């Protein structure tokens, strides 16, 4: 069966610090992968999606970037975090519907 | 710009009643529709998918799709307090790779 792992679960980072969130999928090959962000009390905002290694599409201009160095690995990064980057970050893969990891709650202070 | 709209709620129903959640979408070419349940502080969980007009039933859940009206709904029969959560509607179309989510409806089932 397929599983998706996302870590860390919680992160507190100072403004201006870098960020790296990692997501891996097991039990499937060449999945479509997604990064979403959910601000408190808000809906899901698509940040990036990838259909294959090295293929990244950005939906929202911001100070975040994504990379897909391996087939089942998707990384979300930032060089300098802003207060507005706080939120619940979710990685997902697609099989019919989207299936989500546990999420990372990021607080930028 | 694809849009998915839902009433934010909260929608309150007594235990044992039918909860009705509604969703409208703007992209006429949308072909696939999904309902997710999200408990507070947790990630969304897929509970129903529907691809053709009509009803689809799975246990206490029924999804209804009307493409002509661009409307999809979720009915929860015999609502339980454990059904209290935010329900997200999502669509994906055959022209893209992406899911577009609505803002969610918060459901509260009162014991």
């Amino acid at each position: 069966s397929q599983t998706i792992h996302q870590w860390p679960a919680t992160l507190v980072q100072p403004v201006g610090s870098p960020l790296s969130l990692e997501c891996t999928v097991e039990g499937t090959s060449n999945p479509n992968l997604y990064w979403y962000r959910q601000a408190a009390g808000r809906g899901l905002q698509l940040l990036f999606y990838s259909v294959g290694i090295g293929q990244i599409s950005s939906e929202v201009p911001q100070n975040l970037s994504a990379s897909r160095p391996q087939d089942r690995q998707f990384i979300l990064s930032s060089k300098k975090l802003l207060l507005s980057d706080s939120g619940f970050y979710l990685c997902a893969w697609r099989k019919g519907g989207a299936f989500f990891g546990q999420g990372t709650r990021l607080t930028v202070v | 710009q694809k849009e998915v709209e839902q009433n934010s709620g909260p929608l309150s129903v007594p235990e044992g009643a039918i909860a009705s959640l509604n969703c409208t979408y703007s992209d006429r070419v949308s072909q696939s529709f999904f309902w997710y349940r999200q408990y507070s502080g947790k990630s969304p969980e897929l509970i129903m998918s529907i691809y053709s007009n009509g009803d689809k039933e799975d246990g206490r859940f029924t999804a209804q799709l009307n493409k002509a009206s661009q409307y999809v709904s979720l009915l929860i029969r015999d609502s339980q307090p454990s059904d209290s959560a935010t329900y997200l509607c999502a669509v994906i179309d055959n022209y893209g790779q992406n899911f577009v989510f609505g803002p969610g409806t918060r459901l509260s089932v009162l014991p």
Side-chain angles (χ1 to χ4, degrees), chain B residues 15-58:
Chain B
E15 184 174 356
I18 296 175
S20 178
L21 304 164
N22 304 316
C23 172
T24 60
Y25 58 95
S26 62
D27 190 347
R28 285 192 169 275
V29 301
S30 295
Q31 295 294 320
S32 305
F33 307 87
F34 308 92
W35 282 100
Y36 288 81
R37 177 177 61 200
Q38 186 176 24
Y39 292 113
S40 180
K42 301 297 184 182
S43 59
E45 172 193 11
L46 178 65
I47 56 173
M48 288 287 286
S49 58
I50 186 166
Y51 304 100
S52 55
N53 280 329
D55 295 358
K56 179 182 178 182
E57 185 175 320
D58 184 0

Side-chain angles (χ1 to χ4, degrees), chain B residues 36-96:
Chain B
Y36 288 81
R37 177 177 61 200
Q38 186 176 24
Y39 292 113
S40 180
K42 301 297 184 182
S43 59
E45 172 193 11
L46 178 65
I47 56 173
M48 288 287 286
S49 58
I50 186 166
Y51 304 100
S52 55
N53 280 329
D55 295 358
K56 179 182 178 182
E57 185 175 320
D58 184 0
R60 295 187 296 113
F61 298 102
T62 298
Q64 300 175 317
L65 175 61
N66 184 324
K67 291 185 179 181
S69 300
Q70 297 177 241
Y71 176 90
V72 58
S73 65
L74 179 70
L75 301 177
I76 307 174
R77 291 182 299 281
D78 188 24
S79 295
Q80 301 297 309
S82 59
D83 295 325
S84 298
T86 297
Y87 288 81
L88 304 171
C89 174
V91 305
I92 187 167
D93 64 63
N94 287 337
Y95 296 92

